[in-house]
């Protein structure tokens, strides 16, 4: 199984080839949540050399952060009309499939495939 990242689209595409030569492709869905690490604190502006200076603007980023979970799922479509449904656990949540892990996949005909990446 291989993974490719498409930064413009924000998607990770997975590809797999079974020993019989059947190819599967599909997108990975990884658990995420949005957090706000710091609450903004109002600081009055400072007048310096006749201009207003806002000291916090340059030092703090109060925007939302995306935290990635260690679990992911994928539905891969095969070249021989079968599907591969995978549940993945990542070793490094922020790196996703690029940081290693393990998973279990089920073929649409009932076969199971275990993988380590």
């Amino acid at each position: 199984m291989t993974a490719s990242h498409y930064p413009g689209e924000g998607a990770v595409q997975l590809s797999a080839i079974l020993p019989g030569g059947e190819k599967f492709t599909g997108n990975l869905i990884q658990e995420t949540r949005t957090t706000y690490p710091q609450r903004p604190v109002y600081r009055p502006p400072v007048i310096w050399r006749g201009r207003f200076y806002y000291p916090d603007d340059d030092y703090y980023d109060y925007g939302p952060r995306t935290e990635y979970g260690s679990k992911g799922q994928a539905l891969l479509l095969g070249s021989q009309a079968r599907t591969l449904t995978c549940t993945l656990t990542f070793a490094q949540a922020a790196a996703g499939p690029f940081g290693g892990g393990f998973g279990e996949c089920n073929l649409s005909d009932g076969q199971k495939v275990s993988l380590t990446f």
Side-chain angles (χ1 to χ4, degrees), residues 27-99:
N27 288 337
L28 169 70
I29 299 171
Q30 186 174 359
E31 296 175 346
T32 61
R33 80 178 178 154
T34 302
T35 62
Y36 294 86
Q38 297 180 7
R39 199 176 85 202
V41 177
Y42 175 74
R43 304 259 195 240
V46 177
I47 299 175
W48 184 63
R49 292 189 179 182
R51 292 188 174 179
F52 285 100
Y53 175 68
Y54 298 89
D56 288 342
D57 289 349
D58 296 333
Y59 303 108
Y60 297 105
D61 182 10
Y62 299 111
R65 298 273 192 261
T66 301
E67 292 181 358
Y68 293 93
S70 61
K71 302 282 184 187
Q73 294 182 348
L75 174 64
L76 309 176
L77 304 176
S79 61
Q80 297 174 9
R82 294 195 297 176
T83 60
L84 188 63
T85 306
C86 298
T87 302
L88 307 172
T89 303
F90 307 116
Q92 299 173 11
F98 305 105

Side-chain angles (χ1 to χ4, degrees), residues 5-11:
H5 184 252
Y6 298 97
E9 299 172 12

